[in-house]
Amino acid sequence: SMKTLEYLAELYQKPLSWFLDEAAGTKALVDQARAAYRQGAWQDCLGLTSALEDSDEGLLLRTLAALAAGMEALEAQRWVEALRMADAALDAGQKGLYRLPGLLAQAQLLRARCLLELDGSPSQAQAAFTRAAGEQLELARLSGEVLRRLGQKS
């Protein structure tokens, strides 16, 4: 079972993936993480994806779950937790194949809001906001490119 593998990984101080057949193990973990995400079990999804640092889909699921958990924490005014989740989303979102500017911008905005609520340095919040704006500009640039090419095709 997964609990047994987690226990062994902790006992032997090895990553969970070390105990799994690489292809089958990764697929099984991704499937479990996907199911947890679909159920809104953000923390379960984050736990499962911690063993998927080499999986692009695992990193994407980790980004999405961290953002969702961060937004829930923000709504509940749990600023430290929301900030931690924003940072986790940024960390995972900048790795792997699926580096999506919209998700990174959302994580940066979440981070900026938390920093302001925690009476953190306004300069840190401003820097996070500036990075979010940069991601949004990248989205706008990509959108403009698509529109330009669509205009050429018609």
Side-chain angles (χ1 to χ4, degrees):
S1 80
M2 187 56 73
K3 292 282 186 204
T4 302
L5 290 176
E6 289 171 348
Y7 170 77
L8 290 171
E10 186 176 323
L11 181 67
Y12 293 107
Q13 299 179 343
K14 297 284 185 186
L16 186 60
S17 59
W18 190 82
F19 293 92
L20 301 169
D21 168 45
E22 193 168 328
T26 297
K27 182 184 179 332
L29 280 176
V30 168
D31 289 346
Q32 290 177 2
R34 191 181 304 120
Y37 181 82
R38 286 183 177 143
Q39 294 169 1
W42 314 131
Q43 295 303 323
D44 291 345
C45 183
L46 289 168
L48 289 162
T49 57
S50 66
L52 295 169
E53 288 293 317
D54 294 332
S55 162
D56 291 321
E57 189 171 357
L59 288 167
L60 177 59
L61 283 166
R62 186 169 187 74
T63 302
L64 293 168
L67 272 174
M71 295 306 291
E72 278 186 2
L74 179 76
E75 288 177 21
Q77 298 182 356
R78 295 188 314 265
W79 313 118
V80 173
E81 180 183 345
L83 179 60
R84 189 171 49 83
M85 290 294 99
D87 288 341
L90 287 167
D91 180 58
Q94 293 171 350
K95 298 175 184 173
L97 178 65
Y98 304 114
R99 187 192 179 283
L100 302 171
L103 294 178
L104 296 175
Q106 186 179 355
Q108 289 289 3
L109 290 172
L110 176 60
R111 188 173 200 289
R113 170 76 189 279
C114 292
L115 288 169
L116 289 173
E117 294 294 340
L118 290 168
D119 293 325
S121 163
S123 64
Q124 286 181 331
Q126 179 64 42
F129 180 79
T130 300
R131 286 189 294 275
E135 295 294 347
Q136 292 291 10
L137 285 173
E138 177 64 13
L139 270 177
R141 186 191 67 73
L142 291 171
S143 296
E145 180 67 20
V146 168
L147 288 173
R148 184 182 66 74
R149 288 183 180 221
L150 285 172
Q152 290 175 351
K153 301 262 182 197
S154 46

